[in-house]
Amino acid sequence: MMILETLFTGFLTIAKEVLLAISPIVAIFILLNVTSFHLKKKVFLNILKGFFITYIGLVLFLQGVNVAYVPVGQHLGSHLAALENNYLLVPLGFLMGFLVGFAEPAIHVMVKQIEEISVGRIKAKVMLFVVAVGVGSAVGLSMWRLLLGFSIYWFLIPGYGIVFLLGAKVDHLFLTMAFDNGGVATGPMCSTFILAMCIAIAREIPGRDPIIDGFGVVAMIALAPIVTTLFLGYIYKKIENKQKQQQIN
C-alpha cells in the first residue's frame, strides 16, 4: 500500500492540470468539425479516441517524471559529483545527454516530419543522431562549466555567432529546421532529468551556486542542436554542389 501511495502521490492534481491543458484543443476540434470539417463518424470517433489516449499518456508520463525521473536525476547528480575524478563528469554528461536526446519523444516527432517533408532527402535516423550529439555536447560542456565555474556567456555568445555564420551558408530548410530542433530538444526529458542532475551536482561541488551554476543547461541544450543541424546542412550543401558540378562536367 505504501508503494502505491508513493507512486500515485499528486496523481489527481496532474490529471486535472492535463485535462485543463488539453480540453481547449478538443473543444476547438469538435467546434470546427461541426462548422467546417464534417468528418465521417468513424474518423471523428477515432480522433477522439486518440485525444483520450494522449491524455492518459500525458498524465502517466508527468506522474512518472514527478515520482521517479526528477528524484533519479537528483540522486545521480549527487553521486556523480562525489566522484574522486571529477573530470569524468564531462564524458558521462555527454553520454547521458546523448541517450536522453535519443529518447526524447518530441525529437522523434520532429525528425519524422523532416523526413516526410524532405521526401526522404534527409533521413530521420541521421537527423536524430545529429540532434542527440548536440544534446550530448551541450550536457558535456555544461559539466565542464560546472567544474571550472566560468560564465555561460563564454558558450552562448560564440555559439550563436557560429549559428549566424553557418545560417548564411545553408539552405533555408536547414536553417528553419535547426531552430526547431533546438526547441524540441529541450523537451520534458531533458528539462526534468538533466536539469535536476545539474542542480544536484552544483550543490555538491564546493564553491558552486546551484542557482547560478546549476541552471543554464537548458539554454545550452537549446543552442547545441542548432549548431549540429547547421553543420549537417553545410555538409549536405557541399555534397549537393559537388554532385551538380560532376553532372555539368
Side-chain angles (χ1 to χ4, degrees), residues 66-161:
N66 289 337
V67 173
Y69 219 50
V70 172
V72 165
Q74 292 172 340
H75 287 300
L76 186 60
S78 298
H79 282 82
L80 287 175
L83 289 173
E84 185 175 349
N85 297 318
N86 278 345
Y87 67 87
L88 289 174
L89 286 172
V90 178
L92 286 174
F94 174 84
L95 178 62
M96 284 184 287
F98 179 87
L99 294 175
V100 169
F102 207 81
E104 180 64 61
I107 295 176
H108 281 269
V109 174
M110 180 70 185
V111 297
K112 285 179 182 178
Q113 291 180 342
I114 288 171
E115 185 171 14
E116 289 175 7
I117 294 299
S118 65
V119 198
R121 174 189 166 212
I122 306 167
K123 299 297 182 184
K125 291 181 180 179
V126 174
M127 185 58 71
L128 177 62
F129 177 80
V130 168
V131 176
V133 167
V135 176
S137 301
V139 179
L141 290 172
S142 294
M143 294 299 176
W144 185 34
R145 185 174 73 89
L146 277 172
L147 292 174
L148 299 182
F150 53 82
S151 173
I152 195 173
Y153 287 128
W154 289 101
F155 287 135
L156 294 184
I157 294 174
Y160 279 105

Side-chain angles (χ1 to χ4, degrees), residues 48 54 67-68 74 81 143 192 208:
L48 288 182
T54 301
V67 173
Q74 292 172 340
M143 294 299 176
T192 52
R208 299 291 173 267

Side-chain angles (χ1 to χ4, degrees), residues 219-230:
M220 292 288 293
I221 293 173
L223 168 62
I226 299 175
V227 177
T228 54
T229 302
L230 289 175

Side-chain angles (χ1 to χ4, degrees), residues 69 72-73 76 96 100 188-198:
Y69 219 50
V72 165
L76 186 60
M96 284 184 287
V100 169
M189 296 186 75
C190 291
S191 299
T192 52
F193 178 76
I194 298 296
L195 182 59
M197 183 180 68
C198 286

